[in-house]
Amino acid sequence: MSVTFTCNAAPTKQVPCEFCRDWSAEMKDPDTGRCDQWCTGFFTQSEAPESYLTNENAADMLALLGIPQEPGDLYGRLVPEELPGHLQKIMVALNRGEGTRSPLVSEASSEVGPHGCTVHNMGNTDEQTIRRLTDLQTLFMYAAQNGYEVSWS
């Protein structure tokens, strides 16, 4: 599962479907010439930056920013007036060094569940945490400058 952080009220634009563009002719739908029979050849893209995180990474980022979440409920929103405070928390986490972010660093691991399924946790490096924080910083700055709220689900 994943969580998308976005500005729902931001303007959108139509962009060409990257699958239609990149797929070879034999992979495309023979009737439409597109990537599949329901594709219009375009999709709607937000002009705002967006951030896509796994559930675990999203929960970690929200906890680092002090945004409370109920276990398993990864949805919410920040109104424009809340963004400067959270931007400040991001700056602190980015500038204080690894010590602030170290609780999020983990080694890769695997475990076999009760029904025999293997679950792989790919771990998390400090560099990955920094990238996620800077992605959220870019989104929060855009939202604050344009008066949009940030939502995630």
Side-chain angles (χ1 to χ4, degrees):
M1 298 298 293
S2 66
V3 177
T4 302
F5 290 80
T6 190
C7 298
N8 287 328
T12 60
K13 60 185 173 185
Q14 294 290 310
V15 296
C17 173
E18 60 192 52
F19 299 108
C20 289
R21 181 193 66 216
D22 295 342
W23 287 8
S24 62
E26 59 272 2
M27 292 176 63
K28 293 181 180 180
D29 180 83
D31 296 326
T32 65
R34 297 190 183 111
C35 62
D36 70 41
Q37 62 185 346
W38 297 280
C39 181
T40 64
F42 293 91
F43 68 94
T44 303
Q45 182 180 53
S46 175
E47 291 185 8
E50 295 181 327
S51 183
Y52 307 97
L53 301 176
T54 65
N55 285 6
E56 183 175 353
N57 291 328
D60 287 346
M61 291 297 106
L62 292 167
L64 187 66
L65 297 176
I67 300 171
Q69 294 287 296
E70 293 293 324
D73 288 339
L74 289 172
Y75 63 90
R77 67 185 177 103
L78 296 172
V79 296
E81 297 77 26
E82 295 175 292
L83 294 171
H86 291 295
L87 280 164
Q88 186 174 13
K89 291 175 187 176
I90 290 172
M91 289 300 295
V92 168
L94 289 171
N95 291 320
R96 278 211 180 141
E98 191 174 333
T100 305
R101 300 179 301 269
S102 61
L104 304 182
V105 175
S106 63
E107 297 294 322
S109 64
S110 296
E111 67 180 73
V112 178
H115 301 289
C117 295
T118 302
V119 177
H120 300 282
N121 180 337
M122 302 312 291
N124 185 48
T125 65
D126 191 51
E127 292 79 18
Q128 290 169 319
T129 300
I130 290 170
R131 180 181 48 78
R132 292 180 189 112
L133 283 168
T134 54
D135 286 351
L136 289 177
Q137 180 183 41
T138 301
L139 171 61
F140 287 14
M141 287 175 63
Y142 176 90
Q145 290 168 352
N146 291 286
Y148 299 132
E149 65 179 40
V150 173
S151 62
W152 59 92
S153 62

